[in-house]
Amino acid sequence: QNNGGCSEFAICNDTELTERTCTCKPNYFGDGFTCQGNIFQELLRNSNTSRFYFHLETFSIRDITGPGPFTLFVPHTDVLNSDPRVKDWIAKGVMAQVLQYHMVGCANLLYKDLTTVTNVTSLQGDLVHISSSQDSLILNNKAEIILSDAVGTNGVIHVINQVLVP
């Protein structure tokens, strides 16, 4: 019922009466006790990013389920829940473009990598500007990366404190 102490995404193998090994299932990685999936799966598992996942599901956006690599700049769940513009974007039919503006394809950019670039191109097509301010990375001179380097099998997730607008 608890998978022998292994991750829910692992296979538990009894080796002796009181011994076991944990191995992540195919398409997951980790030590068997903690296993990561692709970044689409990881969005749902993290309360900081789960609202972004539900918006992707609502608009059938599957860009980040492929092999990648991808880099995501995900507005914190509280930000997405409280930003009054979200309802307007949904009503105007542009929410899918706003979501895709938070995704970068063909790049697995960890925080340290982001410190060396000034612009990245989103899946929506527009550039996202990256700059430094004190000890922080700022996107489009507004959104700060507040949590970084949540790695999945096909990319990395960074949590930001504002919604990016194309």
Side-chain angles (χ1 to χ4, degrees):
Q1 68 191 17
N2 70 357
N3 202 24
C6 300
S7 165
E8 64 182 302
F9 305 108
I11 299 166
C12 181
N13 294 306
D14 291 323
T15 54
E16 294 179 22
L17 192 56
T18 58
E19 300 287 319
R20 68 168 176 347
T21 60
C22 301
T23 308
C24 293
K25 293 177 181 177
N27 301 317
Y28 289 87
F29 74 94
D31 62 7
F33 297 98
T34 303
C35 298
Q36 260 68 36
N38 69 41
I39 54 177
F40 190 70
Q41 296 164 319
E42 294 303 309
L43 287 171
L44 179 60
R45 292 175 58 190
N46 185 332
S47 63
N48 295 320
T49 59
S50 58
R51 190 74 190 138
F52 192 82
Y53 170 89
F54 289 118
H55 281 298
L56 294 178
E57 280 287 295
T58 299
F59 294 98
S60 300
I61 298 173
R62 297 290 200 191
D63 300 282
I64 59 172
T65 60
F70 300 100
T71 300
L72 299 185
F73 302 111
V74 179
H76 191 281
T77 289
D78 293 343
V79 171
L80 277 175
N81 284 339
S82 63
D83 193 321
R85 299 173 298 174
V86 171
K87 287 181 182 175
D88 291 338
W89 292 326
I90 291 170
K92 292 177 182 173
V94 298
M95 189 63 182
Q97 289 91 339
V98 171
L99 295 170
Q100 287 174 316
Y101 186 57
H102 293 78
M103 306 175 189
V104 176
C106 301
N108 187 33
L109 299 167
L110 297 172
Y111 191 90
K112 66 179 173 53
D113 302 318
L114 293 170
T115 63
T116 65
V117 296
T118 55
N119 291 299
V120 292
T121 303
S122 72
L123 291 182
Q124 177 266 348
D126 289 346
L127 291 178
V128 176
H129 177 71
I130 302 168
S131 58
S132 300
S133 176
Q134 288 136 2
D135 292 334
S136 300
L137 282 179
I138 309 296
L139 308 178
N140 293 348
N141 299 316
K142 292 184 180 183
E144 181 181 350
I145 295 176
I146 55 174
L147 298 168
S148 62
D149 295 350
V151 177
T153 58
N154 63 343
V156 62
I157 300 167
H158 304 284
V159 179
I160 58 177
N161 65 353
Q162 290 189 37
V163 178
L164 299 176
V165 182

